[in-house]
Amino acid sequence: MLVLTDEALLAGGTEFDADVAVVVAVTDVEVAKQLQSRYLQNIPTLVSFDSAPDIETRLGGLKVKPVDQVEKVLGALPGSQRKEALKVLSLVDEAWARKSSDDVRFALLVLIDSYVTPVTLLKNLRATSLASVQCMVKNCRSQILACILDPDCRTALTCLQNCAPTDQVCSYRCIVSYESPKLEAFTLCVLQKHNCLGLSADILMQPDVQPLQAFRGEPITHESAEDLFIGWLGRPNPNAKGAPFEYSWRVVAGQNAAYDQFPCQYQLFYRGKAKGSMWYDPVFKVQTLDERMLWRRRHYRVKRDIVPGTFYFTVLDNGVISKEFWRIVDVKEDLSWGLFYYSGAAAAAGQSYTGAILVTQDGTWPPESEAARISAALDRCGIKVWELYRVNNSGCSDPPLGIPEGSSLHSVIT
């Protein structure tokens, strides 16, 4: 990708041949005209964002905007190339409007996948067929009927139909807004048990983020790594007259646009009753699409990987199994903050994802003295500080915390 300012282009001396051109924030009409006539005339795919309205939009050589009334009518016909192009443009525009690094990348990949070369990460955009419908009717008739008759489940399906299969931000917001037992039964049957949509996805192993090697001068072990996850849970809370902390960590910021931006995020890590078992319960608030504020909680099984400080997490989230590979990237020696990185896949939903979360004891941003170390830890994940979403940790009263009776906590770290 070649990035040039409009001033640099108009100064001359620049020549390039591109498959796709994206114009951003060129609002001066005269500048826009010069760019189009001198540099963008022969580029087959041209889109613009936050720019002068008369910049032409072309997708795969087809002029999409501006168009006259006759072209609009022809574009509405079934099977029209223009109609398909407008679907792509709508998807790209919606992703750009969310203004996150993940969504900008998604918008660019959609253009490349549609008009340059297939992108493996987006293969599920094309995964629909008559066989999918036949599979659903044959195997999941009762679950479909129950969902259609339930208002929340029906609303969730309508919401999801407006999301592209690979648009995780859109689809997960629909799910957390309208989750219900009937929606879980529907997705468990259609996606997880029978994979009626024929989707697939793998955990992304790049970047290859390395875990923390040592803590307080001692090499990290499986036991100490688990203790770092457990964090503050069960330790005396000086702000609560010595009563123990009811959570491991609070999330300050996260990188994933779909999963890390929810308000009031609490993490609970704890060892189970069975030997070697460990669990992770994230608790968070959701502002639903109909403006309600609701608490949500998930329940992950945690298993050690071979290298200390690396773990595999598994969760059944509204009928779909997600598998994630987590790494402890860094934790301050006094447990004042930590950085965890994860990459995951919901194979039956056809979605792969990555993310990182910055955690502290109380949900406030670490002091400026820690900025260099946090930035270095993020760099090891291929992430910049400006990519993180700040979590809103106000109005977080009465979270549904608590862990099962008989759970155990710290082992080696005091």
Side-chain angles (χ1 to χ4, degrees):
M1 179 163 60
L2 178 65
V3 181
L4 297 165
T5 64
D6 50 356
E7 291 90 347
L9 275 172
L10 294 176
T14 302
E15 293 185 9
F16 61 88
D17 179 28
D19 297 296
V20 177
V22 179
V23 180
V24 179
V26 177
T27 55
D28 187 290
V29 174
E30 288 304 314
V31 171
K33 286 180 179 178
Q34 290 186 56
L35 289 176
Q36 287 191 97
S37 61
R38 291 170 59 179
Y39 294 102
L40 307 176
Q41 197 69 33
N42 299 316
I43 294 176
T45 296
L46 168 64
V47 296
S48 61
F49 302 113
D50 308 327
S51 297
D54 54 347
I55 296 178
E56 190 171 290
T57 297
R58 294 189 297 273
L59 297 176
L62 177 70
K63 180 184 173 185
V64 178
K65 290 192 309 187
V67 295
D68 58 30
Q69 194 61 37
V70 174
E71 290 172 315
K72 284 184 179 179
V73 172
L74 292 175
L77 296 176
S80 162
Q81 184 184 358
R82 189 178 305 280
K83 189 173 184 179
E84 293 303 312
L86 288 172
K87 286 183 182 178
V88 172
L89 185 60
S90 175
L91 185 60
V92 169
D93 282 342
E94 185 179 330
W96 177 269
R98 291 197 290 256
K99 295 290 192 292
S100 79
S101 56
D102 274 355
D103 287 310
V104 171
R105 180 184 66 169
F106 176 66
L108 297 176
L109 289 178
V110 167
L111 291 172
I112 294 168
D113 179 75
S114 301
Y115 300 110
V116 183
T117 188
V119 175
T120 303
L121 197 63
L122 301 187
K123 62 183 178 181
N124 294 316
L125 278 173
R126 302 176 290 278
T128 56
S129 68
L130 178 61
S132 300
V133 179
Q134 294 171 337
C135 171
M136 292 185 217
V137 173
K138 177 184 176 183
N139 298 296
C140 305
R141 185 185 297 269
S142 62
Q143 290 87 350
I144 294 171
L145 181 61
C147 184
I148 292 172
L149 293 175
D150 179 76
D152 282 342
C153 193
R154 185 170 63 248
T155 303
L157 289 187
T158 302
C159 185
L160 288 166
Q161 284 178 336
N162 294 321
C163 303
T166 49
D167 190 342
Q168 297 172 32
V169 176
C170 179
S171 59
Y172 200 65
R173 193 165 183 213
C174 291
I175 289 168
V176 297
S177 291
Y178 304 111
E179 61 183 55
S180 68
K182 288 183 173 60
L183 177 63
E184 180 171 346
F186 174 88
T187 54
L188 183 65
C189 184
V190 171
L191 297 180
Q192 194 61 50
K193 288 185 177 179
H194 299 287
N195 193 17
C196 288
L197 298 184
L199 303 177
S200 63
D202 298 315
I203 294 177
L204 303 173
M205 301 311 288
Q206 293 295 332
D208 183 15
V209 179
Q210 295 301 304
L212 184 66
Q213 301 295 308
F215 183 75
R216 294 178 180 171
E218 298 291 332
I220 286 287
T221 64
H222 290 298
E223 290 76 16
S224 62
E226 289 174 351
D227 276 10
L228 292 179
F229 268 151
I230 294 169
W232 291 95
L233 182 59
R235 300 181 188 277
N237 183 351
N239 297 321
K241 299 180 180 179
F245 280 98
E246 295 184 83
Y247 55 84
S248 299
W249 299 96
R250 294 193 67 179
V251 178
V252 179
Q255 185 266 338
N256 187 287
Y259 309 118
D260 296 342
Q261 44 73 35
F262 295 109
C264 302
Q265 296 181 51
Y266 295 83
Q267 294 187 315
L268 290 85
F269 288 93
Y270 53 93
R271 293 182 169 94
K273 295 179 183 179
K275 184 179 179 180
S277 66
M278 188 170 179
W279 302 92
Y280 165 52
D281 291 11
V283 175
F284 54 96
K285 257 187 174 178
V286 171
Q287 182 174 8
T288 65
L289 291 167
D290 54 2
E291 302 301 324
R292 294 171 296 157
M293 293 298 294
L294 302 174
W295 285 106
R296 301 297 194 201
R297 181 166 176 158
R298 302 291 186 255
H299 186 54
Y300 289 75
R301 180 186 295 276
V302 180
K303 288 190 174 182
R304 301 171 179 174
D305 194 29
I306 297 172
V307 178
T310 63
F311 299 84
Y312 278 99
F313 288 30
T314 308
V315 65
L316 180 66
D317 190 340
N318 284 279
V320 174
I321 293 175
S322 291
K323 297 181 179 180
E324 300 175 354
F325 182 44
W326 282 59
R327 280 139 281 187
I328 298 175
V329 182
D330 200 359
V331 177
K332 178 75 172 176
E333 287 73 12
D334 61 359
L335 300 181
S336 58
W337 64 266
L339 181 71
F340 309 144
Y341 180 87
Y342 64 88
S343 50
Q351 297 182 346
S352 300
Y353 51 91
T354 62
I357 45 179
L358 178 65
V359 297
T360 63
Q361 179 216 76
D362 58 3
T364 59
W365 195 273
E368 185 62 28
S369 58
E370 300 299 317
R373 181 167 168 179
I374 291 171
S375 181
L378 287 167
D379 282 343
R380 296 198 293 275
C381 305
I383 298 170
K384 298 299 181 184
V385 174
W386 56 263
E387 293 184 74
L388 299 180
Y389 289 86
R390 292 290 290 266
V391 171
N392 180 0
N393 280 318
S394 62
C396 301
S397 58
D398 301 320
L401 303 177
I403 58 176
E405 187 177 345
S407 303
S408 58
L409 300 175
H410 313 93
S411 173
V412 295
I413 292 179
T414 59

